[in-house]
């Protein structure tokens, strides 16, 4: 039982990590970036290229990829999101769906369609804590997720972070306060792209690296964000861990085959009953 | 009669097309596939184009139609005349159910909910082995049989599908002109304005989901009859994205647009076959999606419309020039 819960927390923190970038963009610009998973996959391939073809060690390839991810975020914002900033929600959503196809197709052609294996952060023997066997790598993933969440939490206390939150609440009021909305939005795209890259590189060892590596996790990250609340930063963490645990419990005690169906039915019910999620506040809709 | 001349000519062209050109079997299959997508796209356009409600899980309805047909045909040996009404009933009920969350959700949230619906169903098709046959799918579906004539060849299926396309177009064209069609468009333009005009928003949203689900279900049934076997991984999120791409690229809120888009997206891989880049059609579709959203919000049909307006303007300028 406790083993199941612990492994649930580990997969859950992966979902949370993938969901954080999603929520960040949604909160600041009201855009659901459906291509978040593909961006993660693309960046992971960049890291892989750095390591195999350039021959860099992991600890150099990792930060280099994060920088590339930032550039990718700027490109996506400049070419797709900014020209569409005046159009409605549906148009931007459709554009990010188009981006899925482009990134997925390009990745296959540039990096190849075959499955590759991606190195783990650390390779060490499993450790035993209170009868629960733990892989140090997974433990590190959980720690990284929480570290990122904590640093985001403190980032939002800084001047820059407050500007982001102001834009999230009211674009016009933020403009009147002298905040450059454009700069804030670019920053959020850079951060969320970096988050995606981090998530991708941490997830790749468990799923193997190919062009569809993120499809499952990406969809689950939606579940996590919806369950926890799409307009909070704590939400995805709570939602991710909850989904991870529930899914593992269903898989263990009810049926392994039906655990994915269970997760999606859960979010549909959640959206109908409480669209703002467990941690979300409800906002009055503007007419 | 003169009013419908254009439509009759286009229909005649499509009837004669395979007879004149004598396409090979694989191209006929592709044309039939395109025809099936036309039916789905018309239904989806009623939902997205006219009612303004998005769905990223429409492949689920196609799958439900296909599996219902497969099961009724192989296990109960029913004729297609009975199967199609049952498919309409089942996909209608499920469309109604999916319509329920739509009553409370908008835009982004609705997209996620319908995406969840689509993914859940694609997993159900895979995992519910006792009914759907799991990964090995269902084989041996009987071809449609009308008064002893079996629609077995690709050519006969072409006309079988063409019949359904004509019915769907006539139904959709008429629906738009009714009170329901106007109510849907009012909801799309502003839900609150529609509400204040006394339009029952909940009712009409549900109707939009129901109708588009029925279109997709019937198309699924045609799919099962065409290939006479169904597999679960056909009806995945990729298919839902393709359906969306069809009407965005073809033309939102336009029946002609749905037809053009469906033909375009289905036939494009065939024309890009010789290009060295793999998945070229996939990349192109994505690129076109973004370009359409940015520059041609009303799709390919709109380019044609703009071109016509431009020609007229040019002609008008010419006339005036003569006068002066």
């Amino acid at each position: 039982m406790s083993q199941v819960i612990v492994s649930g927390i580990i997969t859950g923190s992966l979902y949370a990590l993938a969901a954080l970038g999603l929520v960040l963009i949604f909160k600041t610009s009201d855009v659901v970036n459906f291509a978040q998973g593909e961006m993660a996959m693309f960046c992971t391939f960049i890291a892989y290229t750095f390591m195999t073809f350039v021959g860099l060690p992991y600890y150099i390839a990792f930060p280099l990829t994060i920088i590339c991810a930032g550039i990718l975020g700027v490109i996506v914002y400049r070419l797709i999101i900014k020209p569409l900033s005046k159009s409605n929600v549906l148009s931007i959503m459709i554009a990010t769906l188009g981006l899925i196809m482009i990134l997925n197709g390009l990745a296959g052609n540039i990096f190849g369609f075959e499955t590759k294996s991606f190195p783990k952060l650390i390779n060490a023997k499993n450790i035993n804590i209170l009868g629960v066997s733990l892989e140090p790598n997974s433990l590190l993933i959980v720690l990284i997720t929480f570290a990122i969440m904590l640093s985001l939490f403190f980032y939002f206390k800084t001047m820059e972070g407050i500007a982001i939150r102001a834009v999230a609440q009211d674009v016009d009021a933020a403009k009147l306060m002298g905040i450059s909305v454009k700069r804030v939005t670019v920053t959020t795209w850079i951060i969320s792209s970096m988050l995606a890259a981090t998530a991708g590189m941490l997830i790749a060892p468990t799923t193997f690296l190919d062009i569809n590596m993120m499809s499952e996790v990406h969809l689950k990250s939606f579940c996590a964000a919806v369950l926890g609340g799409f307009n909070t930063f704590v939400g995805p963490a709570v939602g991710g861990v909850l989904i991870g645990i529930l899914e593992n419990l269903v898989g263990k005690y009810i049926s392994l085959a039906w655990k994915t169906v269970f997760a999606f039915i859960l979010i549909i019910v959640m959206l109908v009953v409480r669209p703002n999620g467990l941690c979300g506040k409800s906002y009055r809709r503007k007419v | 009669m003169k009013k419908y001349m254009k439509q009759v000519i286009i229909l005649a062209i499509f009837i004669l097309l395979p007879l004149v050109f004598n396409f090979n079997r694989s191209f006929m299959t592709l044309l039939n596939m395109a025809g099936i997508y036309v039916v789905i796209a018309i239904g989806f356009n009623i939902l997205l184009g006219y009612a303004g409600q998005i769905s990223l899980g429409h492949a689920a309805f196609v799958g439900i139609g296909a599996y219902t047909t497969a099961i009724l045909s192989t296990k109960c040996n029913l004729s297609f005349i009975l199967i199609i009404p049952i498919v309409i009933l089942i996909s209608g009920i499920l469309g109604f159910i999916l319509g329920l969350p739509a009553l409370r959700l908008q835009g982004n949230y609705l997209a996620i909910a319908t995406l969840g619906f689509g993914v859940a169903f694609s997993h159900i098709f895979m995992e519910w082995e006792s009914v759907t046959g799991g990964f090995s799918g269902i084989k041996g579906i009987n071809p449609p049989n009308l008064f002893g004539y079996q629609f077995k060849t690709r050519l006969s299926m072409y006309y079988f599908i063409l019949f359904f396309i004509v019915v769907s177009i006539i139904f959709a064209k008429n629906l738009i002109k009714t009170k329901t069609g106007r109510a849907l468009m009012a909801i799309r333009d502003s839900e609150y304005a529609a509400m204040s005009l006394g339009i029952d928003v909940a009712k009409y949203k549900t109707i939009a989901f129901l109708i588009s689900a029925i279109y997709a279900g019937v198309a699924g049934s045609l799919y099962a009859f065409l290939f006479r076997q169904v597999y679960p991984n056909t009806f995945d999120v990729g298919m839902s994205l393709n359906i969306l791409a069809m009407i965005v690229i073809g033309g939102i809120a336009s029946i002609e647009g749905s037809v053009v888009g469906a033909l375009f997206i289905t036939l494009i891989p065939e024309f890009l076959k010789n290009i060295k880049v793999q998945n070229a059609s996939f990349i192109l579709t994505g690129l076109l999606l973004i370009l359409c959203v940015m520059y041609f919000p009303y799709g390919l049909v709109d380019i044609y419309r703009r071109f016509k307006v431009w020609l007229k303007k040019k002609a008008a300028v010419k006339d005036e020039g003569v006068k002066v």
Side-chain angles (χ1 to χ4, degrees):
Chain A
M1 180 82 185
S2 50
Q3 180 76 57
V4 175
I5 289 177
V6 168
S7 57
I9 292 173
I10 290 163
T11 37
S13 64
L14 288 179
Y15 299 157
L17 199 57
L20 266 176
L22 214 62
V23 167
L24 186 67
I25 290 180
F26 180 76
K27 245 185 103 80
T28 42
S29 44
D30 213 21
V31 173
V32 174
N33 182 16
F34 283 96
Q36 188 82 9
E38 302 304 306
M39 282 164 79
M41 175 273 292
F42 203 85
C43 291
T44 315
F45 264 113
I46 292 177
Y48 181 79
T49 315
F50 277 144
M51 274 186 279
T52 50
F53 293 103
V54 187
L56 296 173
Y58 193 96
Y59 57 87
I60 298 178
F62 197 101
L64 268 182
T65 309
I66 298 283
I67 294 168
C68 289
I71 297 168
L72 179 70
V74 176
I75 293 173
V76 169
Y77 173 75
R78 279 272 152 180
L79 290 183
I80 298 170
I81 306 303
K82 201 173 152 232
L84 282 170
S85 55
K86 293 273 185 298
S87 27
N88 61 0
V89 178
L90 272 185
S91 306
I92 302 177
M93 191 157 70
I94 292 169
T96 64
L97 289 170
L99 187 63
I100 294 183
M101 297 181 170
I102 296 178
L103 285 179
N104 194 295
L106 280 182
N109 281 301
I110 299 172
F111 305 111
F113 291 92
E114 61 278 4
T115 307
K116 300 169 177 76
S117 68
F118 196 83
K120 283 176 184 172
L121 214 49
I122 40 168
N123 274 314
K125 269 192 188 153
N126 286 9
I127 41 175
N128 246 303
I129 303 169
L130 300 171
V132 179
S133 148
L134 270 177
E135 212 188 337
N137 188 53
S138 320
L139 200 66
L140 206 60
I141 289 174
V142 178
L143 284 179
I144 290 175
T145 308
F146 279 92
I148 289 175
M149 243 157 357
L150 262 184
S151 48
L152 270 183
F153 178 80
F154 284 112
Y155 177 68
F156 283 106
K157 301 278 179 215
T158 62
M159 216 42 205
E160 193 99 348
I162 291 171
I164 292 181
R165 282 193 298 164
V167 173
Q169 244 174 30
D170 192 327
V171 173
D172 293 322
K175 269 185 193 161
L176 289 175
M177 295 299 128
I179 295 168
S180 163
V181 174
K182 226 182 277 172
R183 225 190 82 186
V184 165
T185 331
V186 160
T187 319
T188 53
W189 274 91
I190 292 174
I191 298 175
S192 96
S193 179
M194 287 173 169
L195 285 174
T198 316
M201 282 186 281
L202 294 181
I203 292 163
T206 58
T207 59
F208 293 110
L209 177 64
D210 69 356
I211 52 170
N212 297 319
M213 63 168 266
M214 284 300 286
S215 54
E216 183 86 17
V217 180
H218 178 53
L219 287 167
K220 291 284 165 58
S221 75
F222 272 107
C223 294
V226 165
L227 187 66
F230 233 108
N231 49 24
T232 59
F233 289 113
V234 204
V238 176
V241 171
L242 259 179
I243 287 264
I245 295 173
L246 280 175
E247 200 183 54
N248 267 19
L249 285 177
V250 169
K252 172 97 181 167
Y253 294 104
I254 301 170
S255 146
L256 196 63
W258 289 92
K259 68 176 193 179
T260 309
V261 178
F262 163 80
F264 285 102
I265 290 174
L266 181 74
I267 65 152
I268 296 175
V269 172
M270 193 65 202
L271 277 171
V272 174
V273 179
R274 240 188 104 103
N276 286 309
L278 292 172
C279 313
K281 282 176 235 134
S282 64
Y283 292 105
R284 218 168 272 158
R285 219 180 280 152
K286 274 176 267 174
V287 177
Chain B
M1 193 59 214
K2 210 184 162 192
K3 198 174 147 197
Y4 295 111
M5 210 53 206
K6 209 165 136 194
Q7 282 87 334
V8 171
I9 290 173
I10 292 173
L11 182 62
I13 290 174
F14 274 105
I15 290 175
L16 292 175
L17 196 68
L19 297 177
V20 175
F21 283 101
N22 199 9
F23 297 123
N24 59 10
R25 188 181 151 89
S26 70
F27 193 74
M28 275 314 283
T29 311
L30 208 64
L31 265 186
N32 285 345
M33 239 359 259
I36 291 170
Y37 272 119
V38 166
V39 177
I40 308 174
I42 292 171
F44 192 59
N45 220 336
I46 292 174
L47 183 70
L48 180 62
Y50 290 98
Q53 308 295 309
I54 195 159
S55 162
L56 298 180
H58 245 57
F61 295 119
V62 185
I64 287 158
Y67 272 103
T68 313
T69 309
I71 292 160
L72 289 177
S73 178
T74 52
K75 295 212 172 118
C76 316
N77 248 327
L78 284 183
S79 145
F80 87 95
I81 297 178
L82 282 171
I83 289 178
I84 292 203
I86 298 172
V87 166
I88 289 177
L89 187 74
I90 292 178
S91 51
I93 292 170
L94 281 161
F96 174 77
I97 293 171
L98 183 63
L100 293 179
L103 302 180
R104 291 200 58 185
L105 303 172
Q106 277 179 327
N108 289 324
Y109 286 105
L110 182 60
I112 297 167
T114 50
L115 183 71
F117 178 83
V119 177
F121 262 92
S122 73
H123 277 269
I124 289 173
F125 294 144
M126 276 178 230
E127 306 296 353
W128 200 6
E129 272 176 31
S130 55
V131 175
T132 63
F135 279 101
S136 44
I138 300 175
K139 293 183 193 77
I141 299 160
N142 304 318
N145 190 327
L146 188 70
F147 307 123
Y149 180 76
Q150 295 223 330
F151 290 88
K152 236 179 171 167
T153 61
R154 290 288 189 257
L155 188 68
S156 61
M157 272 313 285
Y158 177 82
Y159 293 113
F160 187 72
I161 293 168
L162 194 61
F163 168 76
F164 279 94
I165 295 175
V166 171
V167 173
S168 349
I169 292 178
I170 292 172
F171 180 80
K173 280 266 180 196
N174 284 308
L175 178 83
I176 298 158
K177 288 182 194 141
T178 60
K179 188 181 161 202
T180 312
R182 286 190 297 271
L184 292 182
M185 284 184 258
I187 293 171
R188 172 194 66 192
D189 293 338
S190 166
E191 219 176 301
Y192 298 96
M195 236 184 256
S196 64
L197 287 171
I199 292 170
D200 187 345
V201 172
K203 181 179 135 195
Y204 285 107
K205 269 189 182 177
T206 319
I207 287 178
F209 267 98
L210 201 138
I211 291 173
S212 74
I214 289 173
Y215 267 89
V218 171
S221 188
L222 293 176
Y223 182 92
F225 282 133
L226 175 64
F227 291 104
R228 277 180 266 140
Q229 51 198 3
V230 286
Y231 297 104
N233 35 14
T234 321
F235 313 105
D236 56 359
V237 181
M239 189 189 210
S240 299
L241 282 184
N242 254 343
I243 299 168
L244 179 81
M246 278 168 199
I247 74 159
V248 173
I249 292 171
I252 267 186
S254 147
I255 303 297
E256 293 83 5
S258 331
V259 180
V260 171
L263 289 174
F264 186 79
I265 297 284
T266 335
L267 297 182
I268 218 174
E270 182 69 17
F271 295 119
L272 293 179
K273 230 173 20 186
N274 297 326
I275 293 180
K276 277 272 141 46
V277 183
Q278 283 192 60
N279 275 351
S281 61
F282 200 54
I283 302 173
L284 186 70
T285 309
L287 208 61
L288 279 176
L289 256 183
I290 295 175
L291 289 179
C292 275
V293 171
M294 279 180 194
Y295 303 109
F296 307 104
Y298 296 98
L300 290 176
V301 223
D302 192 48
I303 299 177
Y304 172 69
R305 211 178 291 150
R306 279 193 210 173
F307 182 66
K308 248 172 48 184
V309 171
W310 181 75
L311 274 187
K312 248 185 209 166
K313 248 189 206 160
K314 226 183 162 188
V317 170
K318 224 180 184 179
D319 284 349
E320 271 173 32
V322 171
K323 262 181 222 162
V324 173

